Amino acid sequence: MRKYPNPMNPCVVGVDVLERSVDGRGRLHSHRLLSTEWGLPGFVKAILGTSRTLTYIKEHSVVDPVEKKMELCSTNITLTNVVSVNERLVYTPHPEDPGMTVLTQEAIITVKGISLGSYLESLMASTISSNAKKGREALEWVIGRLNAELEGLATPARAGA
């Protein structure tokens, strides 16, 4: 999947596919490493005790074409001594309108051993929630790009027919 980079989420600055395979049921499994650059405010860096803004996230996705379902699970692998974020997104067809998609999102955020931990957890939860809309917009952007590429491939084929 080519979700990143995209104009809706510029903080993702790099994506490396570590492994990709199709299982016996036809589901595509991908393991990726995302590099993200967060413009953290100075006071948050001070609370975290770091000036680091480049972080890494591991992501596992499963795309099931039979069930028409995509599941993404991600967790940070940077700053885990301070904060851990485990996020799960599931995209499925709407049960009553197959032309629509239902996104189910859950995240577990744990801030460890710092003052104002509950404040940071709340701030991160709010950010994750607002990013859900950006994620949907990003997928729509990817689908639009893929449709344009397919049309670009089909036009010369139709002209030659």
Side-chain angles (χ1 to χ4, degrees), residues 9-13 35-46 48 50-55 79 120 123 127 131 134:
N9 198 345
C11 68
V12 177
V13 295
S35 305
T36 62
E37 183 65 52
W38 294 95
L40 297 175
F43 78 94
V44 174
K45 290 180 195 174
L48 294 176
T50 183
S51 60
R52 179 182 204 138
T53 58
L54 182 65
T55 59
L79 298 172
L120 285 176
L123 182 65
T127 301
N131 282 344
K134 291 179 187 176

Side-chain angles (χ1 to χ4, degrees), residues 103-155:
L103 166 61
T104 304
Q105 178 183 31
E106 47 191 46
I108 299 171
I109 304 162
T110 308
V111 176
K112 307 167 193 168
I114 60 172
S115 59
L116 301 176
S118 60
Y119 169 74
L120 285 176
E121 287 175 0
S122 173
L123 182 65
M124 292 179 77
S126 175
T127 301
I128 287 171
S129 179
S130 69
N131 282 344
K133 180 181 178 191
K134 291 179 187 176
R136 180 182 54 78
E137 290 170 350
L139 278 179
E140 290 172 356
W141 179 80
V142 168
I143 291 166
R145 279 185 45 199
L146 289 173
N147 284 337
E149 285 180 26
L150 289 173
E151 184 59 32
L153 293 171
T155 300

Side-chain angles (χ1 to χ4, degrees), residues 40-105:
L40 297 175
F43 78 94
V44 174
K45 290 180 195 174
I47 292 171
L48 294 176
T50 183
S51 60
R52 179 182 204 138
T53 58
L54 182 65
T55 59
Y56 298 98
I57 298 165
K58 66 179 178 176
E59 177 188 84
H60 176 245
S61 64
V62 179
V63 178
D64 187 332
V66 175
E67 298 280 327
K68 297 183 178 180
K69 175 181 173 183
M70 180 172 76
E71 182 173 345
L72 296 140
C73 295
S74 61
T75 188
N76 61 303
I77 57 176
T78 307
L79 298 172
T80 55
N81 60 322
V82 178
V83 63
S84 64
V85 179
N86 294 294
E87 184 177 23
R88 181 173 176 255
L89 304 170
V90 180
Y91 297 86
T92 55
H94 190 281
E96 296 167 9
D97 184 351
M100 295 181 66
T101 300
V102 175
L103 166 61
T104 304
Q105 178 183 31

